[in-house]
Amino acid sequence: MEQKIEAQNFLRQIVEKDIKNNTYGGRVVTRFPPEPNGYLHIGHAKSICLNFGLAADYKGQCHLRFDDTNPETEDVEYVESIKADVKWLGFDWNDHLFYASDYFQQLYDWAVYLIKNNKAYVDSLNEEQVKEYRGDFNRPGKDSPYRDRSVEENLDLFERMKNGEFSEGQHTLRAKIDMQSPNINMRDPLLYRIKKMKHHNTGDKWNIYPMYDYAHPLSDAIEKITHSICTLEFQDHRPFYDWCVDNVPVPAKPRQYEFARLNMTYLVMSKRKLLQLVKEKLVSGWDDPRMPTISGIRRRGYTPEAMRNFAKRIGVAKAESLIDVEILEDCVKEDLDRVAYRAMVVLDPIKVTITNYEANKTEELNVSSHPKNEAYGKRKVYFSNEVFIERADFMENPDADFFRLAPGKEVRLRNAYVIRCEEVLKDPAGRVIELKCVYDPVTLGGKPTAEGKKVKGIIHWVSGKHSISAEIRLYGRLFKVPDPENVPAGQDFKANLNPNSLTVIKTAKLEHSLSEADVARKYQFERTGYFCIDSKDSQPGALVFNRIVEL
Ligand code: ATP
Ligand code: MG
C-alpha cells in the first residue's frame, strides 16, 4: 500500500519540487502529444488524465499537440476523433491546441542551424546501409563515408532535399553525435527524411519531414512545456531529447520524464493492432463497443467519470505492470450504480398467464427510477393478466436452494404481486411455453401473502400487453486469453480473438417506459446488467441497446 502511494506521487513530487524551487517561475505546462494515426485507446486515456490532471491540480495548462510528422499514416479523421475523445474525458485545452506541423519552418531553420554548427550532415547511404553502419547492442557503429561533407555541401544538399530535387531514400539529414555511443539512439539519429507526400495540414508544401525524435523535444521547447511526460519506451531516447534542446537555440528547456504505459488483461493496447482489427473487419469499426478505444467504450456506455476514477485508482508508476480489466469494470459498475435509471427487461421470456386477474384490466404502478436517489423520480410500470418472466427464473424440478418459480411454488414479481404456479404448458417437444399462475391481491407493495407468508424469491417481469421489443447486444471479452499479445513466434494476436464476443438478442421484452429511452442516459435492467442505447444503430421504433457491463 505504502509503495502504491509513493508510486502515484513520483511525478507530483517532481512538479511540487520544481514549484518550490521556482525552476520554471512557478509554471506547470504539460502536453498530451498524440500522433493522429489512429483512434485513442484506454492507455491514452491514462496519459490524458495524467497530463491534464497535473496541469489542473497545479494551476497550470495542458496543451493538446498533434505530433503529425508522418503524413503517410495520418489523417484529419483521427485529429477530429482525438479532440472528441479528450473533451469526452472531461478535459479542456482552452486555446492551447497545436500541431507539430505548424513548426515545420522553425524545425527546418534549426536543422540549418545544426548544419552550420557542424552538428548535422546529409547522409547518402541507403536504408539498408544505414542499418548496417549503425551496428547494434553488441557491435559499435561506424561512420558513414558522407559524415565529413563540408558545411556548404550539406547546406546545399539539404536545401535541395527540401525543394524536391531528390527522390525518396536518396538522402537523409542526420545529427552528428557519436557512432560509437553505447546508446544506439545517439548513433547519428535521423533528423529528416524525404517524403513526397501530401500532409493533412501543410498540403504539398514539404518534400522532407522531420523525425518524431527531433520534432518532439523542439515542439515541447517552442511551447515552453515544463514537464514532458511520456511512456517508458522513450527512456533511451531521453539523451537525444536533451541533445536537441541543448544544441538548438530554443526559447526554453523542457525535461522529459517517463512512466509505465498501461497494459491490461484481455485487451490489446496498440493503435497499429487495433487498426488491423478495423481494416480486416474483425470488428465493426474503431467505435465497436468491444474495442478498447475511447470511442468504443463511449459507445459501449462507459462513463468519463469511471475512466477518470480508474486512472486515479491505478496510479502512475515507473515499473511496467499488467492491470486486471476487472478493475476498470468495477469503476464502471460503481459509477453506473450511482447514475443508472432502473428498468425491467426480460431477455429470454416465458409467458405467464395470471388466471385470477381480470383479462381487460391494467394497473399502473408507480415505481422508483433509482433506489437511492429520489431525484430520479418515478416511472409507470404496467401490470396485467399476461406477463413475461425469464426462462431461467422457472424450474420444473427445482433444487432445494432454488427460491424462484416452480410448480406449486410462489415468487414475488418485483414491485408487484406474489404469484403461484398452478400449471405448466409445453410444446410437443417438451419445451415449456407458458405457465398458468394465480396472484395474491394482498401482496402489493411488498406485503406478505394472505396466509402471512413472506416470499423469499423476487424476480423481474414485464407486462406482455405493454412490453416493447428491441435488439439487445451482449458483449463478452474481445480476446479469449488474458495476454492476447503474447503469442508464439509465427502466430498472430488475432488468433486470440474470442469468437463469442457478441451475442445479439431479438426476443427480449422491455418495460414500456423504455420506449422513450434517452441516448444520454444509462439504465440498469434489474438483475441483468447495465445498458444504454447504441448511439449509432438505434432508431426510434427499432431500438438497439448495448450491455455496458454485467451487474
Ligand atoms: P500505440 O503504441 O498504441 O500506437 P503510441 O504511443 O504510438 O500508441 P501516441 O499517439 O504516440 O501513441 O501517444 C500519445 C501519448 O499517449 C504518448 O505520450 C504516449 O506515451 C501515451 N500512451 C500511448 N499508449 C499508452 C499506454 N498504453 N499507457 C499510457 N500512455 C500511453
Ligand atoms: Mg507512437
Side-chain angles (χ1 to χ4, degrees):
M1 222 39 220
E2 278 300 316
Q3 218 200 327
K4 182 122 196 258
I5 291 165
E6 168 78 7
Q8 268 177 349
N9 283 328
F10 92 93
L11 286 168
R12 289 175 177 272
Q13 283 170 357
I14 290 168
V15 170
E16 283 176 15
K17 203 167 127 224
D18 283 332
I19 291 174
K20 195 163 142 247
N21 297 343
N22 207 27
T23 317
Y24 305 101
R27 289 182 317 119
V28 176
V29 187
T30 56
R31 85 288 170 267
F32 174 65
E35 189 182 349
N37 61 353
Y39 281 59
L40 299 183
H41 52 61
I42 299 172
H44 296 111
K46 173 180 174 172
S47 177
I48 293 169
C49 291
L50 173 62
N51 280 294
F52 279 91
L54 274 175
D57 291 352
Y58 295 100
K59 301 195 170 50
Q61 179 61 51
C62 181
H63 298 183
L64 175 61
R65 181 200 319 136
F66 289 100
D67 254 317
D68 52 354
T69 51
N70 184 6
E72 216 166 317
T73 54
E74 294 162 4
D75 198 283
V76 275
E77 175 195 348
Y78 301 134
V79 170
E80 292 313 315
S81 77
I82 289 168
K83 286 196 223 165
D85 288 350
V86 174
K87 279 194 185 146
W88 177 77
L89 276 170
F91 298 108
D92 193 346
W93 53 85
N94 299 309
D95 50 358
H96 303 270
L97 174 65
F98 302 105
Y99 295 84
S101 55
D102 285 341
Y103 310 139
F104 280 173
Q105 185 60 48
Q106 177 70 83
L107 298 175
Y108 176 81
D109 293 343
W110 278 337
V112 169
Y113 176 91
L114 286 171
I115 295 173
K116 285 184 178 160
N117 283 281
N118 198 23
K119 286 181 177 153
Y121 63 98
V122 172
D123 197 4
S124 308
L125 294 178
N126 64 33
E127 206 179 322
E128 226 164 273
Q129 291 167 319
V130 166
K131 215 170 147 202
E132 161 66 25
Y133 275 67
R134 184 180 294 131
D136 55 33
F137 194 69
N138 304 307
R139 198 161 46 89
K142 53 182 186 191
D143 289 359
S144 162
Y146 304 100
R147 201 174 194 262
D148 291 321
R149 275 180 168 146
S150 70
V151 168
E152 289 66 35
E153 189 182 0
N154 282 321
L155 287 173
D156 173 61
L157 285 172
F158 188 49
E159 184 171 0
R160 287 163 61 200
M161 279 167 66
K162 180 191 74 159
N163 293 341
E165 288 182 32
F166 305 115
S167 51
E168 289 189 13
Q170 210 178 335
H171 304 290
T172 54
L173 186 74
R174 299 178 70 173
K176 195 184 275 190
I177 306 180
D178 179 7
M179 289 305 289
Q180 263 81 56
S181 171
N183 182 343
I184 294 175
N185 296 295
M186 296 298 271
R187 294 184 190 168
D188 292 6
L190 236 58
L191 302 180
Y192 272 88
R193 73 277 202 220
I194 299 171
K195 261 186 208 261
K196 305 215 163 164
M197 221 166 243
K198 204 181 172 80
H199 186 280
H200 72 91
N201 187 22
T202 56
D204 291 322
K205 177 160 182 215
W206 293 91
N207 297 298
I208 54 171
Y209 289 95
M211 299 303 292
Y212 176 87
D213 276 351
Y214 170 72
H216 185 75
L218 297 180
S219 304
D220 281 349
I222 291 170
E223 292 173 19
K224 300 198 172 78
I225 300 297
T226 56
H227 301 82
S228 176
I229 301 165
C230 62
T231 37
L232 232 42
E233 69 270 23
F234 289 101
Q235 200 160 14
D236 291 343
H237 299 233
R238 186 170 1 118
F240 182 56
Y241 184 103
D242 292 339
W243 185 92
C244 288
V245 297
D246 286 340
N247 286 284
V248 168
V250 288
K253 289 196 181 181
R255 281 196 57 177
Q256 173 180 306
Y257 301 92
E258 304 89 14
F259 71 101
R261 62 190 290 120
L262 174 63
N263 301 303
M264 290 175 73
T265 58
Y266 293 98
L267 299 180
V268 161
M269 219 81 87
S270 146
K271 278 186 281 192
R272 195 173 50 79
K273 289 184 179 159
L274 297 175
L275 178 64
Q276 280 182 47
L277 298 179
V278 174
K279 279 202 167 147
E280 295 174 32
K281 299 202 173 357
L282 297 166
V283 292
S284 67
W286 284 102
D287 64 352
D288 186 305
R290 293 165 296 180
M291 287 280 270
T293 50
I294 299 182
S295 48
I297 63 170
R298 175 166 64 229
R299 181 169 164 201
R300 171 81 168 256
Y302 284 23
T303 60
E305 290 78 8
M307 203 53 238
R308 292 197 302 264
N309 280 339
F310 171 69
K312 264 192 208 136
R313 199 164 297 179
I314 58 172
V316 178
K318 278 194 215 181
E320 287 287 351
S321 69
L322 185 64
I323 303 287
D324 196 323
V325 69
E326 285 180 17
I327 297 179
L328 173 58
E329 289 166 353
D330 284 346
C331 292
V332 173
K333 288 176 199 178
E334 259 175 51
D335 191 47
L336 291 177
D337 181 42
R338 194 172 59 82
V339 301
Y341 287 75
R342 270 48 174 184
M344 291 196 286
V345 171
V346 176
L347 296 182
D348 180 16
I350 337 182
K351 183 173 160 183
V352 172
T353 304
I354 300 170
T355 52
N356 61 340
Y357 195 91
E358 247 178 84
N360 295 322
K361 187 173 161 187
T362 293
E363 259 175 283
E364 279 185 10
L365 308 168
N366 274 317
V367 174
S368 297
S369 291
H370 195 290
K372 287 171 253 174
N373 190 342
E374 280 181 17
Y376 279 59
K378 305 242 177 211
R379 66 191 204 269
K380 279 196 174 62
V381 169
Y382 299 100
F383 190 79
S384 69
N385 72 327
E386 184 195 298
V387 302
F388 287 100
I389 65 167
E390 294 288 351
R391 188 163 283 281
D393 284 335
F394 173 77
M395 259 181 110
E396 196 170 10
N397 301 299
D399 306 331
D401 57 355
F402 185 79
F403 294 110
R404 289 165 279 159
L405 199 60
K409 297 272 189 270
E410 288 171 324
V411 79
R412 179 177 292 281
L413 298 180
R414 181 161 163 76
N415 302 311
Y417 300 98
V418 170
I419 58 170
R420 188 175 63 240
C421 177
E422 304 273 86
E423 197 184 336
V424 181
L425 305 184
K426 295 182 186 174
D427 66 11
R431 184 177 149 90
V432 176
I433 47 170
E434 186 181 338
L435 305 172
K436 302 253 188 213
C437 294
V438 291
Y439 88 113
D440 183 340
V442 305
T443 52
L444 192 63
K447 294 198 192 72
T449 63
E451 297 94 63
K453 228 200 294 175
K454 280 200 172 158
V455 174
K456 258 194 192 167
I458 303 179
I459 62 174
H460 62 279
W461 56 277
V462 170
S463 166
K465 289 173 195 163
H466 306 93
S467 68
I468 60 162
S469 327
E471 178 175 320
I472 310 264
R473 297 176 182 169
L474 307 181
Y475 301 102
R477 303 204 189 293
L478 186 54
F479 292 94
K480 60 190 175 192
V481 293
D483 191 1
E485 286 175 275
N486 184 12
V487 282
Q491 263 197 41
D492 193 297
F493 75 101
K494 287 172 286 182
N496 288 323
L497 279 167
N498 171 11
N500 304 313
S501 56
L502 171 62
T503 308
V504 177
I505 295 182
K506 302 207 168 174
T507 52
K509 304 281 183 189
L510 292 74
E511 73 168 54
H512 191 261
S513 74
L514 288 170
S515 57
E516 288 177 8
D518 182 340
V519 67
R521 286 185 179 177
K522 312 293 180 221
Y523 296 90
Q524 184 193 96
F525 294 176
E526 287 175 327
R527 300 177 66 230
T528 41
Y530 292 102
F531 291 78
C532 65
I533 291 267
D534 185 86
S535 54
K536 204 165 188 177
D537 294 343
S538 189
Q539 281 170 23
L543 298 177
V544 179
F545 282 89
N546 294 322
R547 180 157 70 190
I548 306 168
V549 66
E550 289 178 53
L551 288 179

